[in-house]
Amino acid sequence: MAPRPNAGTKGVPRADREQEILRVASVAFGSDGFAATGVADVAHTAGISKALVYSYFGSKEGLHAACLAEAGGLLAAEIERVARDGSAGVERGVRTLAAMFAVLDDRRHVWRLLHDRTAPADGPAAEVVARYSARIEALAREGVLELLGDAGITDELDVSAMVRTWLGIVDSLMDWWVAHPEQGAEEMTRRVGRLIAALVSDHTRRGRTD
């Protein structure tokens, strides 16, 4: 029997083999970090040769960049989905976090992969992260403009400060959640809802007494 078109090793289609390599590599890079992960480790876990990994991705850096592109695309797509669902203001922020928790609940290594301090500071990986970060920041700015616009605030420095504040809050909450694996996505969403409700309630109460 002739091999199938685009087949990989042992008759596995190339696209399927590539996805399996990316899955294994993403877990490795996200769990152990770029510096501590070798191509041999990925190949061994995937049950293939190092040569095959190199033939698909060219280098460890190429493999890492491909993992980052897939991870960043996954997360950005969820955030964009929320941005188009009609929610606004604080509700949009909570729904965005809820979507992030849900999509990463069984793959928290993806968050660590995207925030790995041992990853190269330049090269293909850094370029992928820069594109992902710009995509996320643009979505954050869109939400902030809407939120502040409803309050009559248009000062560009206010917008810039709020964007950085919101992104910092998201990173901090995600870091905390990833470090607490016993906290499921739904539980964490309820926790965030309580925390934000408390902040909004306190702000409203203080405004009435001023």
Side-chain angles (χ1 to χ4, degrees):
M1 179 184 293
R4 285 172 290 176
N6 299 318
T9 57
K10 300 179 181 178
V12 177
R14 180 183 177 93
D16 293 347
R17 177 68 76 191
E18 184 172 308
Q19 281 302 306
E20 175 63 10
I21 295 171
L22 286 174
R23 184 190 68 78
V24 170
S26 292
V27 173
F29 286 130
S31 300
D32 302 326
F34 176 84
T37 299
V39 172
D41 303 318
V42 173
H44 176 74
T45 303
I48 57 176
S49 67
K50 286 198 303 180
L52 186 61
V53 177
Y54 284 120
S55 74
Y56 279 28
F57 300 99
S59 64
K60 174 181 171 179
E61 289 73 19
L63 174 61
H64 184 236
C67 290
L68 286 168
E70 187 166 89
L74 171 73
L75 207 50
E78 277 299 293
I79 296 172
E80 287 174 343
R81 180 184 62 77
V82 174
R84 305 295 171 251
D85 73 0
S87 57
V90 173
E91 180 190 5
R92 173 172 168 175
V94 173
R95 289 175 65 86
T96 295
L97 284 163
M100 293 171 71
F101 298 143
V103 78
L104 297 186
D105 201 15
D106 60 350
R107 42 190 165 187
R108 302 188 194 198
H109 62 274
V110 167
W111 183 257
R112 293 190 293 266
L113 167 65
L114 289 166
H115 296 81
D116 178 12
R117 294 184 179 180
T118 74
D122 52 22
E127 292 171 5
V128 171
V129 171
R131 289 196 298 271
Y132 157 77
S133 299
R135 190 174 170 187
I136 298 303
E137 184 161 344
L139 288 165
R141 179 178 172 81
E142 177 186 291
V144 165
L145 282 170
E146 186 174 43
L147 175 68
L148 296 186
D150 287 345
I153 300 173
T154 59
D155 183 84
E156 180 55 35
L157 289 179
D158 286 346
V159 172
S160 176
M162 189 61 184
V163 169
R164 299 317 308 169
T165 299
W166 171 245
L167 291 174
I169 289 172
V170 170
D171 284 354
S172 295
L173 286 170
M174 291 299 296
D175 286 345
W176 186 92
W177 178 64
V178 168
H180 291 77
E182 75 284 357
Q183 299 285 310
E186 292 185 4
E187 184 176 5
M188 188 61 186
T189 296
R190 290 193 295 270
R191 187 180 306 283
V192 167
R194 290 195 301 272
L195 295 175
I196 291 180
L199 289 172
V200 172
S201 175
D202 181 70
H203 174 74
T204 301
R205 180 181 60 79
R206 289 175 181 273
R208 289 173 179 169
T209 58
D210 285 347

